[in-house]
Amino acid sequence: MESSGNQSDSVEEQPIGSQAAIVKAAQCVIYGVGIIGMLGLYGVVQERIMSEPYVDIGGNSTFFRASVFLVLCNRLVAIVYAIGMVAVKGESYRTAAPLWKYFAISMSNVAATTMQYEALKFVSFPVQMLGKSFKMMPVMIWSIIISGKTYKLPDWFIAAMVTLGVTLFLMTGVINAKHSDKDSSFWGLLCMLAYLAADSFTSTFQEKLFKDHNASKFNQMMYVNCCSATVSFLTLIASGKLLSALAFSAAHPVFMGHAFMLSAAAVGGQFFIYSQVKEFGALVLAATMNIRQVLSILMSYLLYSHSISWQQVMGLFLVFGSLFYKSFLGFVTMKRRPPSAHKYQQVEFDEPKTDAQGGLEMQKQPAAETIGSTAETRSTDS
């Protein structure tokens, strides 16, 4: 009788376990759809603002040119989000590091984001998106110089394959923006190089700040964005573009709607990224980001009618094949670990420092706009 009772108990437990698994899977899908949707919207709106003209009441077409104004809008929305999250998470509002370090990160961050927007004046969004994958090599080099990190041979091989794929894409087809001159793509690539230099420093210095000062996630996000908003505002005043940007906004209400959508999508993306990596780890985030990047590029081709050659298609396959392979290696490595190691890794993502290690980059707009960040590579290391 006792054995039959135990059997009935085990039978009753199975639906509970399977139900929990279904709920967990649904939760992961919701987070993934949120990331893909928010950052996909960010990419589409970003390209719309920087590469398509706005028509005023008089029927005159004008392009928006004050990229730093967009950075300011993004940072203001991010500040509101960060202040709210500091309160919700019970984090401290006091600075955890010297103020000059926040400004150092902010200046490079504002420069990187501005160059990202500026590039869209000259090259298409797929080029901008793929060009960011060159960040893998610079970040690895900066990490070795600043933090003394080491990388395994597969990391260098994947970074080389991604770089080769991007080079093939850039060299074998049309890459300029739809409304720009064909020769202007050179300036777009220069903007991307400036972006890579600034953004690589930002990522590496953020990680060092986390480690040296044990800064909490949203506290750092709040101060970095406050400093970034200050830098953006002063830059607009110094360049004399603040009044013209405000006048453009008043003359084109649609633009203000797009600017708000851009900022809201960036913050929404940060929320879903943080939620997914906390519950499921950086490897799931990396796979989600790979899917998101493919869909964003396809969406750009569909919406803005960019031309593409078969060599560029091969370049895309090489880039994303390498990135998906990197995600696959990460899952294989995790499965080989004992169960206790899996549990430790899950707890590890609750620590503030894992924003830099797990590839969240919560202080940036959006959180994970970069293809193949080396932070994803670090998460796969045993």
Side-chain angles (χ1 to χ4, degrees):
M1 293 297 292
E2 292 181 358
S3 61
S4 62
N6 293 335
Q7 289 178 358
S8 63
D9 290 340
S10 63
V11 171
E12 290 177 357
E13 289 176 0
Q14 288 180 0
I16 297 176
S18 60
Q19 184 179 9
I22 293 173
V23 171
K24 201 71 173 176
Q27 188 180 20
C28 185
V29 170
I30 290 172
Y31 291 151
V33 171
I35 292 171
I36 294 170
M38 289 294 101
L39 296 188
L41 177 63
Y42 180 93
V44 169
V45 175
Q46 178 186 186
E47 184 169 16
R48 167 63 186 89
I49 291 174
M50 299 307 302
S51 65
E52 296 289 331
Y54 285 90
V55 181
D56 59 20
I57 299 177
N60 300 314
S61 297
T62 311
F63 287 91
F64 176 74
R65 293 307 185 200
S67 301
V68 182
F69 184 74
L70 280 182
V71 180
L72 177 61
C73 294
N74 288 353
R75 298 306 180 261
L76 292 176
V77 174
I79 290 171
V80 175
Y81 173 73
I83 291 175
M85 292 306 295
V86 168
V88 171
K89 297 294 182 179
E91 296 180 3
S92 173
Y93 282 98
R94 299 180 62 182
T95 57
L99 201 58
W100 71 265
K101 291 191 176 183
Y102 292 114
F103 270 104
I105 293 174
S106 299
M107 286 188 287
S108 62
N109 180 253
V110 169
T113 310
T114 301
M115 288 298 102
Q116 169 184 300
Y117 292 147
E118 286 290 313
L120 287 176
K121 297 178 182 179
F122 309 107
V123 295
S124 64
F125 175 77
V127 174
Q128 183 223 55
M129 178 71 76
L130 286 174
K132 292 178 183 180
S133 61
F134 272 103
K135 178 186 174 183
M136 293 182 73
M137 285 289 189
V139 168
M140 292 169 77
I141 295 172
W142 273 115
S143 297
I144 292 172
I145 295 173
I146 295 178
S147 304
K149 287 187 173 293
T150 58
Y151 295 93
K152 298 178 181 179
L153 183 60
D155 300 331
W156 291 107
F157 175 76
I158 291 170
M161 289 298 99
V162 170
T163 303
L164 177 62
V166 173
T167 303
L168 181 64
F169 184 91
L170 296 178
M171 300 295 292
T172 57
V174 178
I175 61 173
N176 60 290
K178 185 165 63 175
H179 296 286
S180 65
D181 298 331
K182 187 174 182 180
D183 297 333
S184 67
S185 58
F186 171 76
W187 299 108
L189 295 179
L190 281 182
C191 288
M192 289 306 302
L193 287 175
Y195 160 82
L196 290 171
D199 196 55
S200 299
F201 173 83
T202 301
S203 301
T204 307
F205 203 75
Q206 280 178 197
E207 180 176 357
K208 185 172 177 60
L209 190 145
F210 266 122
K211 290 182 176 180
D212 292 349
H213 301 281
N214 196 26
S216 62
K217 177 179 24 278
F218 294 108
N219 175 281
Q220 183 181 159
M221 180 182 178
M222 179 180 65
Y223 277 102
V224 168
N225 279 290
C226 284
C227 293
S228 296
T230 303
V231 171
S232 303
F233 182 73
L234 294 177
T235 302
L236 285 169
I237 293 177
S239 62
K241 292 184 177 180
L242 178 60
L243 294 180
S244 61
L246 293 174
F248 186 94
S249 302
H252 306 87
V254 174
F255 163 76
M256 283 307 299
H258 288 163
F260 178 78
M261 287 174 61
L262 187 74
S263 302
V267 172
Q270 290 178 347
F271 169 77
F272 284 112
I273 286 171
Y274 170 71
S275 300
Q276 188 182 68
V277 81
K278 181 180 179 181
E279 295 293 333
F280 301 99
L283 292 175
V284 175
L285 172 64
T288 302
M289 290 304 300
N290 290 341
I291 296 172
R292 173 257 158 175
Q293 289 148 1
V294 172
L295 294 178
S296 292
I297 289 176
L298 292 177
M299 185 64 69
S300 179
Y301 275 109
L302 291 174
L303 291 178
Y304 298 104
S305 303
H306 302 302
S307 60
I308 187 170
S309 66
W310 67 268
Q311 295 97 328
Q312 287 179 311
V313 173
M314 288 183 62
L316 289 176
F317 273 107
L318 190 57
V319 170
F320 289 107
S322 300
L323 295 180
F324 279 109
Y325 177 66
K326 181 173 71 171
S327 298
F328 171 75
L329 288 180
F331 283 111
V332 170
T333 301
M334 188 172 65
K335 285 183 177 180
R336 290 176 179 173
R337 294 172 178 170
S340 58
H342 290 268
K343 184 176 181 180
Y344 172 79
Q345 186 183 33
Q346 186 64 36
V347 172
E348 185 183 30
F349 286 113
D350 292 335
E351 297 296 325
K353 64 183 181 180
T354 54
D355 282 81
Q357 294 175 341
L360 289 181
E361 300 178 22
M362 295 285 289
Q363 298 77 14
K364 298 171 56 181
Q365 301 288 331
E369 183 67 8
T370 303
I371 290 179
S373 91
T374 52
E376 294 168 16
T377 302
R378 295 182 205 121
S379 67
T380 64
D381 291 342
S382 56

